[in-house]
Amino acid sequence: MLKILDTFERLLVGWFMLASAMLAFLLVILRYFFGKGFTWGSEAVILLMVWAAFFGAGIAIREKSHIELEVVRDLLPPAFRLPVVVLADFLCVGMMLFIMIFGAKWTLFLHHSGGVDVATQIPEWIIFLCVPLAGLTMTIRFLQHFVGNFKEMVAYFRKRGQRC
């Protein structure tokens, strides 16, 4: 299941970035050589990059290349490090659930309101759909970290308790 998510994230981000780069290149060519362009082109490039960034955040979490306060963690005594990491993972899961749930509520609101983006003529709810979908992938990634770190913490304290 997680391999499918890995592949999905990488393909999605790759396609969004490729489409964005190709569209931007096309817009430059049209503008400078033909004096024309698409009215929706610049906005579409921005939207593609936003979607790539949202789903790229899930990849960053999986690869553990997101922002982390390692300095604070490393200053703590060894017995407190894992509990602090587990707490941080738990709080991140909560934050991602918040983003996912309220992103879904906002997307549903936009769907019911029927708004359409002026430049691209794409329904606004489709544009904002990246928030709950990427929130879901980030929630799954932080849950992975939480479970792994929790197991590591339990093993650490069991091993430590056996030595006493």
Side-chain angles (χ1 to χ4, degrees):
M1 172 70 176
L2 293 175
K3 270 291 199 211
I4 294 171
L5 182 59
D6 293 351
T7 304
F8 172 75
E9 283 176 331
R10 287 196 185 278
L11 284 174
L12 198 63
V13 170
W15 280 108
F16 283 145
M17 291 180 73
L18 179 66
S20 176
M22 289 175 61
L23 182 57
F25 180 74
L26 177 66
L27 290 170
V28 168
I29 297 297
L30 288 173
R31 188 171 298 129
Y32 288 107
F33 290 109
F34 301 102
K36 306 243 181 220
F38 302 121
T39 56
W40 51 267
S42 297
E43 178 121 0
V45 169
I46 292 168
L47 292 175
L48 287 166
M49 289 307 296
V50 167
W51 273 67
F54 267 87
F55 283 98
I59 294 171
I61 294 167
R62 185 188 74 224
E63 302 288 329
K64 293 187 177 185
S65 58
H66 60 288
I67 296 173
E68 191 175 341
L69 297 176
E70 294 175 2
V71 174
V72 173
R73 183 191 65 208
D74 292 343
L75 289 174
L76 294 172
F80 290 110
R81 287 181 189 158
L82 280 172
V84 167
V85 169
V86 169
L87 177 63
D89 287 339
F90 181 75
L91 293 173
C92 288
V93 168
M95 180 62 103
M96 292 304 108
L97 283 171
F98 177 83
I99 288 171
M100 182 181 67
I101 290 167
F102 284 96
K105 286 182 178 185
W106 180 251
T107 303
L108 285 172
F109 169 77
L110 290 173
H111 178 65
H112 293 303
S113 69
V116 175
D117 183 66
V118 176
T120 61
Q121 294 300 305
I122 298 173
E124 287 179 335
W125 72 272
I126 292 176
I127 293 170
F128 282 90
L129 190 61
C130 68
V131 176
L133 292 179
L136 174 64
T137 63
M138 288 186 274
T139 301
I140 291 168
R141 297 305 182 187
F142 275 121
L143 273 171
Q144 281 180 285
H145 288 300
F146 174 77
V147 169
N149 288 329
F150 185 80
K151 286 179 181 179
E152 188 179 338
M153 181 180 73
V154 169
Y156 173 81
F157 284 110
R158 274 192 186 146
K159 186 177 177 182
R160 192 170 173 209
Q162 290 173 353
R163 283 188 287 174
C164 294

